[in-house]
Amino acid sequence: MCELLGFSAKRETDIRKYLREFFSHGTNHPHGWGLMRENHNITEIIKKAECSAKSQTISGIVAETQPQKNTLAHIRLATVGSIKTENCHPYRQTDNTGRCWTLIHNGTIYSGKQLMKYLYTQTGDTDSERISLALLDEINKKNLSTPEQRFDIVDNFVVTLSKRNKLNLIIFDGELLYIHQNMKNTLYYKPEEESVIFSTRPLDNDDWKLYPLTQLCAFRAGKKVFEGTEHGNIFVPALDYITEMDAMNI
């Protein structure tokens, strides 16, 4: 299972302690790391197919990272796709209006025929990249001029794709940070007065809360601004499913 980190804040905030802890988890997720950060008014993506816990590169990058308002980070345990930089997250796509969409994913697509056509256009070979390409096509079908319209498109996309798929997602569109979880106990968050941080695992000993299941939400400047459809498409791994059926004597 990959791990995700997302951060949204009203003011620039030093999050290096969280990034250090997050990337230290790479021992169990050794196939790549990636970071989206703001650097002198430019949002940049840096990624590499190596173990983040042993990487001098990411250690140095974290050390010189300036205070942030919006950040994404990912460490990869390869399930779909080979071990190479093209298969590391985040993925970035630019829509017809020039808006950049950045996506990280924790999960696997088991039922997604609508993604198969992207096998021939993607740069790498992960299902996560195919998600980002499919989302871009949905966005480009509409004339999106408001945050509400963008949120509705992403919400509809997530509701459709979450059926029978593990779809933990964090997406940033340059303004909104979209968060979605549909597997139990695989995403936590820590709200503070002017910020909120999300992570697959708690990153310190403070009071982290479990993120809600099966509902896309969007955050701006550290505050929740939109709530989507409560779709109920909980992903249950096969072993967990068998255990639940046994417990119910089915």
Side-chain angles (χ1 to χ4, degrees), residues 35-77:
L35 175 68
M36 184 208 82
R37 67 174 183 177
E38 297 161 329
N39 188 15
H40 301 294
N41 298 319
I42 297 173
T43 302
E44 62 181 3
I45 291 178
I46 313 161
K47 53 187 180 178
K48 197 169 183 179
E50 63 179 10
C51 177
S52 61
K54 301 176 182 178
S55 171
Q56 293 299 313
T57 302
I58 190 58
S59 178
I61 288 169
V62 169
E64 52 89 26
T65 293
Q66 299 299 308
Q68 301 286 298
K69 287 185 178 179
N70 301 283
T71 308
L72 303 183
H74 187 275
I75 49 177
R76 183 174 185 241
L77 178 65

Side-chain angles (χ1 to χ4, degrees), residues 77-91:
L77 178 65
T79 53
V80 177
S82 55
I83 300 171
K84 58 183 180 180
T85 300
E86 291 85 350
N87 286 336
C88 296
H89 308 213
Y91 294 101

Side-chain angles (χ1 to χ4, degrees), residues 152-171:
D152 286 344
I153 291 295
V154 179
D155 186 46
N156 290 333
F157 178 83
V158 165
V159 169
T160 300
L161 192 58
S162 61
K163 297 173 183 177
R164 298 183 295 279
N165 295 315
K166 183 183 176 185
L167 197 68
N168 288 7
L169 290 171
I170 302 181
I171 303 167

Side-chain angles (χ1 to χ4, degrees), residues 9 15 49 87 176 197 213-214 222 232:
I15 61 167
N87 286 336
L176 301 178
I197 187 166
L213 273 170
T214 67

Side-chain angles (χ1 to χ4, degrees), residues 49-172:
E50 63 179 10
C51 177
S52 61
K54 301 176 182 178
S55 171
Q56 293 299 313
T57 302
I58 190 58
S59 178
I61 288 169
V62 169
E64 52 89 26
T65 293
Q66 299 299 308
Q68 301 286 298
K69 287 185 178 179
N70 301 283
T71 308
L72 303 183
H74 187 275
I75 49 177
R76 183 174 185 241
L77 178 65
T79 53
V80 177
S82 55
I83 300 171
K84 58 183 180 180
T85 300
E86 291 85 350
N87 286 336
C88 296
H89 308 213
Y91 294 101
R92 172 170 287 177
Q93 313 294 339
T94 303
D95 69 22
N96 289 339
T97 71
R99 180 177 294 277
C100 290
W101 294 76
T102 307
L103 176 147
I104 54 178
H105 173 223
N106 167 22
T108 303
I109 303 301
Y110 297 96
S111 175
K113 291 182 179 179
Q114 68 269 44
L115 303 185
M116 297 309 292
K117 65 180 180 180
Y118 303 103
L119 283 168
Y120 308 103
T121 58
Q122 66 184 128
T123 302
D125 48 17
T126 67
D127 51 6
S128 303
E129 184 183 5
R130 294 192 284 277
I131 294 171
S132 72
L133 292 168
L135 176 59
L136 181 72
D137 277 353
E138 290 300 310
I139 291 161
N140 284 337
K141 290 177 183 177
K142 308 290 184 179
N143 182 18
L144 304 178
S145 59
T146 68
E148 291 86 353
Q149 290 171 331
R150 298 198 304 273
F151 182 81
D152 286 344
I153 291 295
V154 179
D155 186 46
N156 290 333
F157 178 83
V158 165
V159 169
T160 300
L161 192 58
S162 61
K163 297 173 183 177
R164 298 183 295 279
N165 295 315
K166 183 183 176 185
L167 197 68
N168 288 7
L169 290 171
I170 302 181
I171 303 167
F172 181 61

